[in-house]
Amino acid sequence: MVKIYTKLFFAVLALSPAVVFAQAGNVGINTANPGSTMDISGSLAANYKAVNTNSYNLTSSDFHVSYNGSSNAVFNLPSAINGVGNYKGRIYRIKNNTNFSITVNSAAPETINGNPSVLVPANQSIELINTGLTGAVSTWEILSTGTSSTGDYIIVKPNAIQTVSTGSDVTFGSVIASNNITYNAGVFNLKAGKTYVLRCQLHATEFSLAGGFMVYEWVDASNNSVLPSSTTGVVDAINNYPATSIGGQPEAYAIYRPTVDTSVKVRLGGAGTAQLNPQIGFMTVTELAGGNGNGGTTIINNNITASNGLTLSGTDVKLGGTLSQATDIATAGNNLSINGAGKVLVGTNTVPSGASNAKVVIDNGTTNGALQIKDGTQQLGYVLTSDANGLATWSSTVTTAFADNWTSYTGTLVNPFTGNSGGDNLPTGISVNIPAKGWYFFRSGITITSTCNDYWFYIPGVGEVWKSYCGSAGPDPINFVPRDQTRVLYFAAPGVYSIVAHKTNFVVPTGFNGGNPAFYLDFVKFQN
Protein backbone atom coordinates (compact mmCIF):
# COMPACT_ATOMS: atom_id res chain seq x y z
CA MET A 1 0.00 0.00 0.00
CA VAL A 2 2.85 2.40 0.82
CA LYS A 3 4.45 1.81 -2.55
CA ILE A 4 1.15 2.53 -4.31
CA TYR A 5 0.74 5.90 -2.56
CA THR A 6 4.36 6.85 -3.20
CA LYS A 7 4.05 6.12 -6.90
CA LEU A 8 0.81 8.07 -7.02
CA PHE A 9 2.44 11.11 -5.34
CA PHE A 10 5.29 11.27 -7.83
CA ALA A 11 2.90 10.76 -10.69
CA VAL A 12 0.91 13.81 -9.57
CA LEU A 13 4.08 15.90 -9.30
CA ALA A 14 5.19 14.80 -12.71
CA LEU A 15 1.87 15.89 -14.23
CA SER A 16 1.89 19.28 -12.45
CA PRO A 17 3.24 22.06 -14.70
CA ALA A 18 4.16 24.20 -11.65
CA VAL A 19 6.75 21.83 -10.17
CA VAL A 20 10.01 20.95 -11.94
CA PHE A 21 12.77 18.65 -10.75
CA ALA A 22 16.13 19.56 -12.29
CA GLN A 23 18.83 16.96 -12.89
CA ALA A 24 21.16 18.67 -10.42
CA GLY A 25 18.72 18.00 -7.62
CA ASN A 26 17.23 21.51 -7.54
CA VAL A 27 13.51 22.01 -7.22
CA GLY A 28 11.72 24.81 -9.06
CA ILE A 29 8.21 26.13 -8.53
CA ASN A 30 6.81 28.05 -11.50
CA THR A 31 10.23 27.92 -13.15
CA ALA A 32 11.66 25.31 -15.51
CA ASN A 33 15.27 26.08 -14.70
CA PRO A 34 15.75 26.26 -10.90
CA GLY A 35 19.10 27.79 -10.00
CA SER A 36 18.96 26.94 -6.29
CA THR A 37 18.05 23.94 -4.19
CA MET A 38 14.57 25.49 -3.96
CA ASP A 39 13.71 28.15 -6.57
CA ILE A 40 10.27 29.75 -6.22
CA SER A 41 9.03 32.04 -8.94
CA GLY A 42 6.13 33.48 -6.95
CA SER A 43 5.00 34.28 -3.44
CA LEU A 44 5.82 32.37 -0.27
CA ALA A 45 3.59 32.01 2.79
CA ALA A 46 4.55 30.97 6.33
CA ASN A 47 2.62 30.72 9.58
CA TYR A 48 1.46 34.01 11.14
CA LYS A 49 0.36 34.08 14.77
CA ALA A 50 -0.77 36.95 17.02
CA VAL A 51 -0.59 36.49 20.81
CA ASN A 52 -1.80 38.61 23.74
CA THR A 53 -0.46 36.61 26.69
CA ASN A 54 2.68 37.94 28.39
CA SER A 55 4.35 34.51 28.43
CA TYR A 56 4.72 32.45 25.26
CA ASN A 57 6.74 29.36 24.31
CA LEU A 58 7.77 29.28 20.65
CA THR A 59 7.05 25.95 18.91
CA SER A 60 7.92 24.13 15.70
CA SER A 61 4.76 25.51 14.04
CA ASP A 62 5.71 29.17 14.59
CA PHE A 63 7.35 31.47 12.08
CA HIS A 64 6.05 35.04 12.55
CA VAL A 65 4.64 35.86 15.99
CA SER A 66 3.19 39.32 16.72
CA TYR A 67 2.71 40.47 20.32
CA ASN A 68 -0.34 42.63 21.06
CA GLY A 69 -0.49 42.33 24.87
CA SER A 70 -0.88 44.95 27.60
CA SER A 71 2.32 44.40 29.64
CA ASN A 72 5.97 43.39 29.29
CA ALA A 73 6.23 39.87 27.89
CA VAL A 74 8.61 36.88 27.94
CA PHE A 75 9.04 34.61 24.90
CA ASN A 76 10.94 31.33 25.39
CA LEU A 77 12.87 29.61 22.59
CA PRO A 78 12.77 25.79 22.37
CA SER A 79 15.74 23.71 23.51
CA ALA A 80 18.18 22.65 20.82
CA ILE A 81 18.20 19.05 19.62
CA ASN A 82 21.37 17.07 18.92
CA GLY A 83 21.27 14.58 16.05
CA VAL A 84 18.01 13.46 14.45
CA GLY A 85 15.41 16.18 14.65
CA ASN A 86 17.96 19.01 14.82
CA TYR A 87 16.31 22.17 13.48
CA LYS A 88 19.40 24.01 12.23
CA GLY A 89 18.30 26.93 10.05
CA ARG A 90 14.85 27.38 11.67
CA ILE A 91 13.84 31.05 11.62
CA TYR A 92 11.59 32.94 14.02
CA ARG A 93 10.33 36.46 13.46
CA ILE A 94 8.98 38.27 16.53
CA LYS A 95 7.18 41.61 16.15
CA ASN A 96 6.33 43.80 19.15
CA ASN A 97 3.23 45.87 18.34
CA THR A 98 2.99 47.41 21.82
CA ASN A 99 4.56 50.10 23.98
CA PHE A 100 5.95 47.37 26.24
CA SER A 101 9.04 45.16 25.87
CA ILE A 102 9.54 41.49 25.03
CA THR A 103 12.38 39.48 26.60
CA VAL A 104 13.33 36.52 24.39
CA ASN A 105 15.04 33.80 26.43
CA SER A 106 17.14 30.90 25.18
CA ALA A 107 16.92 27.56 26.97
CA ALA A 108 19.78 27.44 29.50
CA PRO A 109 22.68 27.00 29.00
CA GLU A 110 22.15 27.99 25.35
CA THR A 111 22.65 31.58 24.16
CA ILE A 112 21.55 34.14 21.58
CA ASN A 113 24.71 35.66 20.09
CA GLY A 114 26.46 34.66 23.32
CA ASN A 115 23.77 36.11 25.65
CA PRO A 116 21.09 34.22 27.56
CA SER A 117 18.38 36.61 26.35
CA VAL A 118 17.67 39.55 24.06
CA LEU A 119 15.25 42.47 24.47
CA VAL A 120 12.76 43.53 21.81
CA PRO A 121 11.78 47.13 22.69
CA ALA A 122 8.38 48.69 22.04
CA ASN A 123 7.26 48.72 18.38
CA GLN A 124 10.36 46.87 17.19
CA SER A 125 11.06 43.40 15.81
CA ILE A 126 13.75 40.73 15.72
CA GLU A 127 14.57 37.80 13.45
CA LEU A 128 16.46 34.78 14.81
CA ILE A 129 17.98 31.71 13.15
CA ASN A 130 19.01 28.45 14.80
CA THR A 131 22.70 27.48 14.35
CA GLY A 132 22.22 23.76 15.00
CA LEU A 133 24.64 23.89 17.93
CA THR A 134 23.90 22.72 21.47
CA GLY A 135 25.21 23.56 24.92
CA ALA A 136 26.62 26.87 26.16
CA VAL A 137 27.26 28.31 22.70
CA SER A 138 25.41 30.64 20.34
CA THR A 139 22.53 28.30 19.58
CA TRP A 140 20.66 31.24 18.03
CA GLU A 141 21.93 34.13 15.93
CA ILE A 142 20.23 37.48 15.35
CA LEU A 143 19.55 37.97 11.66
CA SER A 144 18.05 41.43 11.93
CA THR A 145 16.27 43.89 14.16
CA GLY A 146 14.04 46.76 13.10
CA THR A 147 10.91 48.81 13.49
CA SER A 148 7.95 49.76 11.37
CA SER A 149 6.92 52.67 13.54
CA THR A 150 6.27 56.15 12.17
CA GLY A 151 8.57 58.97 13.26
CA ASP A 152 7.48 61.79 15.54
CA TYR A 153 5.43 64.60 14.00
CA ILE A 154 2.85 67.27 14.77
CA ILE A 155 1.06 69.96 12.74
CA VAL A 156 -0.82 72.84 14.36
CA LYS A 157 -2.94 75.56 12.75
CA PRO A 158 -4.68 78.72 14.08
CA ASN A 159 -8.28 78.59 15.21
CA ALA A 160 -8.79 82.20 16.33
CA ILE A 161 -7.42 85.70 15.79
CA GLN A 162 -4.30 86.35 17.88
CA THR A 163 -3.16 89.92 18.48
CA VAL A 164 0.62 90.02 18.66
CA SER A 165 3.46 92.45 19.28
CA THR A 166 7.19 92.29 20.01
CA GLY A 167 7.78 89.45 22.51
CA SER A 168 4.56 87.55 21.73
CA ASP A 169 4.56 83.77 21.32
CA VAL A 170 2.55 82.07 18.60
CA THR A 171 -0.16 80.05 20.34
CA PHE A 172 -2.11 78.32 17.58
CA GLY A 173 -4.82 76.21 19.20
CA SER A 174 -5.80 73.49 16.70
CA VAL A 175 -3.69 70.32 16.50
CA ILE A 176 -4.47 68.68 13.17
CA ALA A 177 -2.34 65.52 13.63
CA SER A 178 0.44 64.35 15.93
CA ASN A 179 2.55 61.37 16.92
CA ASN A 180 4.70 61.29 20.06
CA ILE A 181 5.19 65.10 20.31
CA THR A 182 3.25 66.93 23.01
CA TYR A 183 2.06 70.50 22.52
CA ASN A 184 0.49 73.08 24.83
CA ALA A 185 -0.23 76.77 24.19
CA GLY A 186 2.50 77.21 21.58
CA VAL A 187 5.16 75.02 23.23
CA PHE A 188 6.42 71.81 21.58
CA ASN A 189 8.25 69.22 23.71
CA LEU A 190 11.14 67.50 21.88
CA LYS A 191 13.18 64.41 22.86
CA ALA A 192 16.94 64.38 23.31
CA GLY A 193 18.99 62.72 20.59
CA LYS A 194 16.42 63.14 17.80
CA THR A 195 16.74 65.48 14.83
CA TYR A 196 13.69 67.54 13.93
CA VAL A 197 12.60 69.81 11.08
CA LEU A 198 10.73 72.85 12.47
CA ARG A 199 8.58 75.04 10.18
CA CYS A 200 6.27 77.99 10.77
CA GLN A 201 4.32 80.21 8.35
CA LEU A 202 2.35 83.23 9.59
CA HIS A 203 -0.04 85.65 7.90
CA ALA A 204 -0.98 88.93 9.60
CA THR A 205 -3.30 91.91 9.06
CA GLU A 206 -4.45 94.97 10.98
CA PHE A 207 -0.98 96.37 11.55
CA SER A 208 -1.01 99.33 13.94
CA LEU A 209 1.74 101.09 11.95
CA ALA A 210 1.67 101.95 8.28
CA GLY A 211 5.17 100.54 7.98
CA GLY A 212 4.54 97.78 10.46
CA PHE A 213 6.10 94.35 10.22
CA MET A 214 6.60 91.22 12.33
CA VAL A 215 9.59 88.89 12.39
CA TYR A 216 9.47 85.44 13.97
CA GLU A 217 11.96 82.72 14.86
CA TRP A 218 12.13 79.33 16.59
CA VAL A 219 13.40 79.72 20.17
CA ASP A 220 14.15 77.66 23.27
CA ALA A 221 10.98 77.96 25.34
CA SER A 222 12.92 77.94 28.64
CA ASN A 223 14.92 81.13 27.98
CA ASN A 224 13.68 82.56 24.64
CA SER A 225 17.13 82.14 23.04
CA VAL A 226 16.97 81.67 19.27
CA LEU A 227 17.77 78.14 18.09
CA PRO A 228 21.16 78.14 16.31
CA SER A 229 19.72 76.84 13.04
CA SER A 230 16.55 78.95 12.90
CA THR A 231 15.89 81.26 9.96
CA THR A 232 13.79 84.39 10.38
CA GLY A 233 10.34 84.73 8.92
CA VAL A 234 8.82 88.16 8.13
CA VAL A 235 5.25 89.38 7.59
CA ASP A 236 4.62 92.97 6.33
CA ALA A 237 1.73 95.39 6.41
CA ILE A 238 0.90 94.48 2.81
CA ASN A 239 -2.40 96.38 2.86
CA ASN A 240 -0.44 99.66 3.09
CA TYR A 241 2.09 99.06 0.32
CA PRO A 242 1.82 98.55 -3.45
CA ALA A 243 2.61 95.05 -4.62
CA THR A 244 5.85 96.17 -6.23
CA SER A 245 7.40 97.31 -2.96
CA ILE A 246 6.49 94.56 -0.49
CA GLY A 247 9.01 91.96 0.63
CA GLY A 248 9.47 89.43 3.37
CA GLN A 249 10.26 85.81 4.13
CA PRO A 250 7.05 83.83 4.66
CA GLU A 251 8.56 81.03 6.79
CA ALA A 252 10.79 80.45 9.80
CA TYR A 253 12.68 77.18 9.35
CA ALA A 254 15.06 75.18 11.58
CA ILE A 255 16.73 71.79 11.84
CA TYR A 256 17.34 71.06 15.50
CA ARG A 257 18.81 68.16 17.48
CA PRO A 258 18.50 68.69 21.26
CA THR A 259 21.04 66.99 23.52
CA VAL A 260 18.53 66.97 26.39
CA ASP A 261 14.74 66.98 26.34
CA THR A 262 13.85 70.53 25.22
CA SER A 263 10.75 72.66 24.68
CA VAL A 264 10.61 75.05 21.70
CA LYS A 265 8.19 77.70 20.41
CA VAL A 266 7.88 80.52 17.85
CA ARG A 267 8.47 84.04 19.16
CA LEU A 268 7.76 87.37 17.43
CA GLY A 269 9.49 90.73 17.20
CA GLY A 270 9.00 93.82 15.07
CA ALA A 271 7.20 97.16 15.17
CA GLY A 272 3.70 97.86 16.39
CA THR A 273 0.96 95.27 16.72
CA ALA A 274 -0.84 93.01 14.28
CA GLN A 275 -3.41 90.26 14.14
CA LEU A 276 -2.46 86.73 13.06
CA ASN A 277 -4.91 85.34 10.56
CA PRO A 278 -7.25 82.78 12.20
CA GLN A 279 -7.35 80.54 9.12
CA ILE A 280 -4.02 80.87 7.32
CA GLY A 281 -0.70 79.66 8.73
CA PHE A 282 0.77 76.59 10.42
CA MET A 283 3.50 75.26 12.72
CA THR A 284 4.94 71.77 12.17
CA VAL A 285 7.61 69.64 13.84
CA THR A 286 8.74 66.48 12.04
CA GLU A 287 11.37 63.97 13.06
CA LEU A 288 14.06 63.72 10.38
CA ALA A 289 14.73 60.19 9.06
CA GLY A 290 18.29 59.05 9.75
CA GLY A 291 18.49 61.79 12.35
CA ASN A 292 20.59 60.02 14.96
CA GLY A 293 23.63 61.97 13.84
CA ASN A 294 25.82 59.11 12.64
CA GLY A 295 24.23 58.16 9.34
CA GLY A 296 22.31 55.27 10.84
CA THR A 297 18.64 54.71 11.40
CA THR A 298 16.68 57.09 13.61
CA ILE A 299 15.63 55.69 16.97
CA ILE A 300 11.91 56.01 16.43
CA ASN A 301 9.69 57.04 19.35
CA ASN A 302 12.61 56.64 21.77
CA ASN A 303 11.97 52.89 21.69
CA ILE A 304 15.44 52.18 23.05
CA THR A 305 15.12 51.81 26.82
CA ALA A 306 17.72 51.36 29.55
CA SER A 307 17.45 49.28 32.72
CA ASN A 308 19.42 47.19 35.21
CA GLY A 309 22.21 49.62 35.90
CA LEU A 310 22.00 51.61 32.66
CA THR A 311 20.58 55.07 32.00
CA LEU A 312 19.44 56.58 28.71
CA SER A 313 20.11 60.15 27.63
CA GLY A 314 19.02 60.64 24.04
CA THR A 315 20.89 57.95 22.11
CA ASP A 316 23.54 57.59 24.83
CA VAL A 317 23.15 54.43 26.92
CA LYS A 318 25.57 54.42 29.85
CA LEU A 319 26.21 52.94 33.28
CA GLY A 320 24.87 54.75 36.30
CA GLY A 321 21.40 53.41 37.02
CA THR A 322 19.88 50.91 39.44
CA LEU A 323 20.52 47.17 39.17
CA SER A 324 17.04 45.65 39.07
CA GLN A 325 17.84 42.03 38.28
CA ALA A 326 20.50 39.46 39.10
CA THR A 327 23.82 40.54 37.57
CA ASP A 328 27.07 38.62 37.24
CA ILE A 329 30.31 40.34 36.21
CA ALA A 330 32.84 37.64 35.36
CA THR A 331 36.34 38.54 34.19
CA ALA A 332 38.78 35.66 33.80
CA GLY A 333 36.90 33.72 36.46
CA ASN A 334 36.77 36.62 38.94
CA ASN A 335 33.11 37.02 39.77
CA LEU A 336 31.27 39.98 41.21
CA SER A 337 27.61 39.04 41.46
CA ILE A 338 24.52 40.84 42.65
CA ASN A 339 22.02 38.01 42.88
CA GLY A 340 18.74 39.94 43.03
CA ALA A 341 18.07 38.87 46.63
CA GLY A 342 20.07 41.60 48.37
CA LYS A 343 23.36 39.72 48.32
CA VAL A 344 26.76 40.71 46.93
CA LEU A 345 28.95 37.73 46.02
CA VAL A 346 32.68 38.16 45.40
CA GLY A 347 34.63 35.31 43.82
CA THR A 348 31.51 33.25 43.21
CA ASN A 349 28.01 33.53 41.80
CA THR A 350 26.60 30.81 44.04
CA VAL A 351 25.45 31.39 47.62
CA PRO A 352 27.42 28.85 49.69
CA SER A 353 25.98 26.63 52.36
CA GLY A 354 25.32 28.48 55.61
CA ALA A 355 25.20 31.93 53.96
CA SER A 356 21.45 32.24 53.47
CA ASN A 357 21.30 35.31 55.73
CA ALA A 358 24.62 36.86 54.65
CA LYS A 359 24.55 40.05 52.62
CA VAL A 360 28.22 39.90 51.51
CA VAL A 361 29.95 36.64 50.60
CA ILE A 362 33.67 36.43 49.72
CA ASP A 363 34.98 33.17 48.30
CA ASN A 364 38.76 33.22 47.80
CA GLY A 365 39.12 29.48 47.54
CA THR A 366 42.07 28.27 49.62
CA THR A 367 44.11 31.47 49.24
CA ASN A 368 44.73 33.61 52.34
CA GLY A 369 44.01 37.33 52.41
CA ALA A 370 40.48 37.42 51.00
CA LEU A 371 39.59 40.65 52.81
CA GLN A 372 41.55 43.85 53.38
CA ILE A 373 40.15 46.89 55.21
CA LYS A 374 42.32 50.01 55.53
CA ASP A 375 41.09 53.16 57.23
CA GLY A 376 44.22 54.39 59.00
CA THR A 377 43.47 52.63 62.31
CA GLN A 378 44.83 49.23 61.23
CA GLN A 379 47.87 47.82 63.02
CA LEU A 380 49.50 44.45 63.35
CA GLY A 381 47.54 42.24 65.73
CA TYR A 382 44.50 44.54 65.86
CA VAL A 383 40.97 43.22 65.56
CA LEU A 384 37.91 44.83 63.95
CA THR A 385 35.71 46.26 66.70
CA SER A 386 32.14 47.51 66.41
CA ASP A 387 30.55 50.40 68.26
CA ALA A 388 26.88 50.50 69.32
CA ASN A 389 25.82 51.52 65.80
CA GLY A 390 27.75 48.79 64.02
CA LEU A 391 30.54 51.12 62.88
CA ALA A 392 33.78 49.16 62.97
CA THR A 393 37.37 50.26 63.49
CA TRP A 394 40.58 48.43 64.18
CA SER A 395 41.26 48.16 67.93
CA SER A 396 43.75 46.70 70.40
CA THR A 397 41.48 46.90 73.44
CA VAL A 398 39.42 43.78 72.92
CA THR A 399 39.86 41.12 75.61
CA THR A 400 39.38 37.53 74.55
CA ALA A 401 38.49 34.65 76.82
CA PHE A 402 41.11 32.08 77.82
CA ALA A 403 40.94 28.97 75.73
CA ASP A 404 42.60 25.59 76.01
CA ASN A 405 44.97 26.32 73.15
CA TRP A 406 48.32 26.60 74.90
CA THR A 407 51.47 26.81 72.81
CA SER A 408 54.71 25.22 74.04
CA TYR A 409 58.26 26.42 73.59
CA THR A 410 60.41 25.21 70.70
CA GLY A 411 63.93 23.79 70.76
CA THR A 412 65.78 21.47 73.18
CA LEU A 413 66.55 22.65 76.70
CA VAL A 414 70.23 22.59 77.75
CA ASN A 415 71.57 23.32 81.24
CA PRO A 416 72.73 26.97 81.20
CA PHE A 417 74.17 26.92 84.74
CA THR A 418 77.32 24.82 84.28
CA GLY A 419 79.78 27.73 84.21
CA ASN A 420 82.10 28.59 87.13
CA SER A 421 80.90 32.17 87.33
CA GLY A 422 77.63 34.07 87.35
CA GLY A 423 76.21 36.01 84.41
CA ASP A 424 73.35 36.97 82.07
CA ASN A 425 72.23 35.81 78.62
CA LEU A 426 73.18 32.23 79.30
CA PRO A 427 71.92 30.14 76.32
CA THR A 428 69.15 27.63 76.99
CA GLY A 429 68.53 26.25 73.47
CA ILE A 430 64.82 27.15 73.54
CA SER A 431 62.56 29.97 72.26
CA VAL A 432 58.89 30.94 71.88
CA ASN A 433 57.09 31.88 68.62
CA ILE A 434 54.69 34.77 69.32
CA PRO A 435 52.03 34.93 66.55
CA ALA A 436 50.71 38.47 67.14
CA LYS A 437 51.09 41.62 69.16
CA GLY A 438 49.38 41.45 72.56
CA TRP A 439 49.31 40.19 76.14
CA TYR A 440 50.23 36.56 76.93
CA PHE A 441 49.91 34.34 79.97
CA PHE A 442 52.98 32.12 80.61
CA ARG A 443 53.29 29.09 82.89
CA SER A 444 56.48 27.10 83.50
CA GLY A 445 58.16 24.73 85.93
CA ILE A 446 61.59 23.18 86.55
CA THR A 447 63.41 21.39 89.41
CA ILE A 448 66.85 22.82 90.36
CA THR A 449 68.86 21.38 93.25
CA SER A 450 71.67 23.60 94.49
CA THR A 451 73.39 25.31 97.38
CA CYS A 452 72.74 29.01 97.73
CA ASN A 453 72.43 30.89 94.41
CA ASP A 454 69.85 32.79 92.31
CA TYR A 455 68.52 31.28 89.08
CA TRP A 456 66.04 32.56 86.49
CA PHE A 457 64.89 32.26 82.86
CA TYR A 458 63.85 35.36 80.90
CA ILE A 459 63.15 36.89 77.47
CA PRO A 460 65.44 39.86 76.82
CA GLY A 461 63.51 43.11 76.57
CA VAL A 462 60.24 41.46 77.64
CA GLY A 463 60.55 39.92 81.09
CA GLU A 464 61.29 36.84 83.16
CA VAL A 465 59.33 33.60 82.83
CA TRP A 466 60.75 31.75 85.89
CA LYS A 467 62.86 32.92 88.85
CA SER A 468 64.02 31.58 92.23
CA TYR A 469 66.24 33.09 94.96
CA CYS A 470 68.43 31.46 97.56
CA GLY A 471 66.37 31.22 100.76
CA SER A 472 68.88 29.42 102.96
CA ALA A 473 72.64 29.66 103.48
CA GLY A 474 72.85 26.05 104.62
CA PRO A 475 75.57 23.94 103.08
CA ASP A 476 73.27 21.13 102.00
CA PRO A 477 71.81 21.31 98.46
CA ILE A 478 68.06 22.02 98.35
CA ASN A 479 65.33 22.04 95.69
CA PHE A 480 64.60 25.65 94.75
CA VAL A 481 61.03 26.81 95.15
CA PRO A 482 58.50 27.71 93.91
CA ARG A 483 58.95 25.10 91.26
CA ASP A 484 55.83 26.03 89.18
CA GLN A 485 55.35 29.70 88.29
CA THR A 486 53.21 31.99 86.08
CA ARG A 487 53.80 35.32 84.38
CA VAL A 488 51.92 37.92 82.27
CA LEU A 489 54.04 39.40 79.49
CA TYR A 490 53.36 41.94 76.72
CA PHE A 491 54.82 41.56 73.22
CA ALA A 492 54.83 44.63 70.98
CA ALA A 493 55.26 42.58 67.83
CA PRO A 494 55.05 38.99 66.67
CA GLY A 495 58.21 36.95 66.17
CA VAL A 496 60.54 34.30 67.58
CA TYR A 497 61.92 35.26 70.99
CA SER A 498 64.90 33.44 72.57
CA ILE A 499 64.77 32.41 76.22
CA VAL A 500 68.03 32.90 78.12
CA ALA A 501 69.10 32.34 81.74
CA HIS A 502 70.87 34.04 84.67
CA LYS A 503 72.74 32.83 87.75
CA THR A 504 74.23 35.12 90.37
CA ASN A 505 77.52 33.43 91.43
CA PHE A 506 79.92 30.60 90.64
CA VAL A 507 77.77 27.87 92.29
CA VAL A 508 76.78 25.09 89.89
CA PRO A 509 73.57 23.20 90.62
CA THR A 510 74.02 19.62 91.74
CA GLY A 511 70.71 18.76 90.05
CA PHE A 512 69.06 20.27 86.98
CA ASN A 513 65.62 19.34 85.58
CA GLY A 514 65.44 16.27 87.70
CA GLY A 515 61.82 16.59 88.79
CA ASN A 516 58.66 14.90 87.71
CA PRO A 517 57.30 16.38 85.53
CA ALA A 518 60.30 17.63 83.65
CA PHE A 519 60.73 21.22 82.48
CA TYR A 520 57.73 22.78 80.75
CA LEU A 521 56.92 26.25 79.42
CA ASP A 522 53.81 27.20 77.46
CA PHE A 523 51.72 30.31 76.84
CA VAL A 524 48.38 31.60 75.60
CA LYS A 525 47.29 35.02 74.32
CA PHE A 526 44.47 36.66 76.26
CA GLN A 527 44.39 40.31 75.18
CA ASN A 528 45.37 42.37 72.17
Side-chain angles (χ1 to χ4, degrees):
M1 182 64 71
V2 173
K3 292 182 179 180
I4 294 174
Y5 280 126
T6 302
K7 291 178 179 179
L8 180 61
F9 171 74
F10 282 107
V12 171
L13 290 179
L15 293 174
S16 174
V19 180
V20 174
F21 291 89
Q23 290 183 352
N26 297 338
V27 176
I29 299 178
N30 287 337
T31 177
N33 300 297
S36 299
T37 304
M38 173 68 75
D39 192 339
I40 301 174
S41 179
S43 60
L44 176 67
N47 190 29
Y48 174 92
K49 181 182 290 185
V51 298
N52 297 314
T53 58
N54 61 9
S55 179
Y56 182 72
N57 296 324
L58 292 156
T59 67
S60 59
S61 64
D62 289 323
F63 177 72
H64 180 102
V65 180
S66 289
Y67 177 60
N68 302 312
S70 57
S71 63
N72 294 333
V74 175
F75 282 20
N76 298 308
L77 294 166
S79 298
I81 297 174
N82 189 16
V84 178
N86 184 291
Y87 43 84
K88 177 180 180 180
R90 179 184 292 179
I91 295 175
Y92 288 125
R93 291 178 179 171
I94 300 170
K95 176 66 175 65
N96 186 357
N97 293 327
T98 74
N99 290 323
F100 303 97
S101 64
I102 303 173
T103 300
V104 181
N105 292 326
S106 59
E110 300 166 15
T111 64
I112 306 168
N113 279 21
N115 300 303
S117 63
V118 65
L119 188 72
V120 184
N123 299 305
Q124 295 199 31
S125 61
I126 193 169
E127 188 172 34
L128 304 170
I129 187 169
N130 185 267
T131 64
L133 302 175
T134 60
V137 293
S138 291
T139 313
W140 298 88
E141 289 182 357
I142 299 174
L143 287 176
S144 64
T145 59
T147 176
S148 61
S149 301
T150 303
D152 302 351
Y153 62 85
I154 188 171
I155 181 168
V156 184
K157 71 175 185 177
N159 62 350
I161 294 174
Q162 181 184 350
T163 301
V164 295
S165 60
T166 297
S168 294
D169 298 329
V170 180
T171 58
F172 289 168
S174 179
V175 177
I176 300 174
S178 68
N179 179 57
N180 205 42
I181 296 178
T182 59
Y183 171 82
N184 182 45
V187 176
F188 301 85
N189 299 308
L190 308 183
K191 297 292 186 181
K194 296 188 175 187
T195 303
Y196 299 90
V197 175
L198 294 76
R199 300 179 60 197
C200 176
Q201 288 189 7
L202 302 180
H203 292 263
T205 59
E206 307 301 326
F207 283 83
S208 62
L209 300 176
F213 67 94
M214 288 290 160
V215 296
Y216 52 99
E217 297 169 307
W218 286 96
V219 303
D220 187 323
S222 66
N223 55 21
N224 295 323
S225 60
V226 178
L227 299 184
S229 61
S230 179
T231 64
T232 301
V234 180
V235 288
D236 301 294
I238 60 175
N239 56 323
N240 295 318
Y241 287 87
T244 57
S245 63
I246 65 172
Q249 161 63 33
E251 182 171 331
Y253 184 93
I255 296 179
Y256 183 54
R257 177 184 172 86
T259 57
V260 297
D261 291 355
T262 304
S263 297
V264 298
K265 62 184 179 180
V266 174
R267 191 169 179 83
L268 294 110
T273 64
Q275 290 183 353
L276 298 183
N277 191 292
Q279 296 177 330
I280 304 174
F282 66 85
M283 293 188 292
T284 67
V285 177
T286 307
E287 183 183 359
L288 184 64
N292 62 352
N294 58 13
T297 302
T298 302
I299 301 175
I300 303 297
N301 293 333
N302 273 359
N303 289 329
I304 295 287
T305 59
S307 61
N308 196 41
L310 300 177
T311 56
L312 177 66
S313 177
T315 57
D316 185 16
V317 180
K318 54 190 175 183
L319 290 171
T322 301
L323 292 176
S324 57
Q325 64 188 52
T327 302
D328 183 28
I329 302 172
T331 304
N334 298 313
N335 288 81
L336 174 61
S337 299
I338 295 88
N339 71 350
K343 298 180 183 296
V344 177
L345 311 177
V346 181
T348 179
N349 58 6
T350 303
V351 178
S353 176
S356 59
N357 295 325
K359 293 300 183 182
V360 178
V361 175
I362 300 175
D363 186 346
N364 208 34
T366 58
T367 304
N368 293 332
L371 178 65
Q372 182 179 32
I373 301 175
K374 299 178 66 176
D375 65 354
T377 66
Q378 72 278 356
Q379 289 191 41
L380 184 65
Y382 274 32
V383 295
L384 204 60
T385 309
S386 170
D387 64 10
N389 297 317
L391 181 65
T393 56
W394 294 106
S395 172
S396 64
T397 60
V398 176
T399 301
T400 58
F402 280 100
D404 191 18
N405 57 350
W406 296 85
T407 301
S408 183
Y409 68 93
T410 57
T412 301
L413 178 66
V414 297
N415 186 351
F417 305 125
T418 59
N420 292 324
S421 63
D424 291 316
N425 291 311
L426 304 176
T428 65
I430 61 174
S431 62
V432 290
N433 189 354
I434 302 300
K437 169 185 177 180
W439 290 92
Y440 289 80
F441 187 89
F442 277 73
R443 61 186 183 183
S444 60
I446 187 171
T447 299
I448 295 178
T449 305
S450 175
T451 56
C452 190
N453 205 344
D454 303 321
Y455 304 101
W456 63 79
F457 295 85
Y458 67 98
I459 300 173
V462 177
E464 62 190 41
V465 295
W466 188 93
K467 187 174 187 178
S468 185
Y469 291 99
C470 177
S472 171
D476 297 330
I478 60 173
N479 290 331
F480 276 51
V481 294
R483 178 187 186 280
D484 300 291
Q485 301 181 25
T486 60
R487 297 289 190 276
V488 172
L489 300 177
Y490 177 75
F491 292 84
V496 176
Y497 292 81
S498 297
I499 296 176
V500 295
H502 166 90
K503 74 184 182 84
T504 301
N505 56 43
F506 61 90
V507 174
V508 175
T510 58
F512 178 81
N513 196 21
N516 186 16
F519 173 77
Y520 69 91
L521 184 149
D522 51 18
F523 55 95
V524 63
K525 184 181 179 182
F526 70 94
Q527 180 173 313
N528 290 323

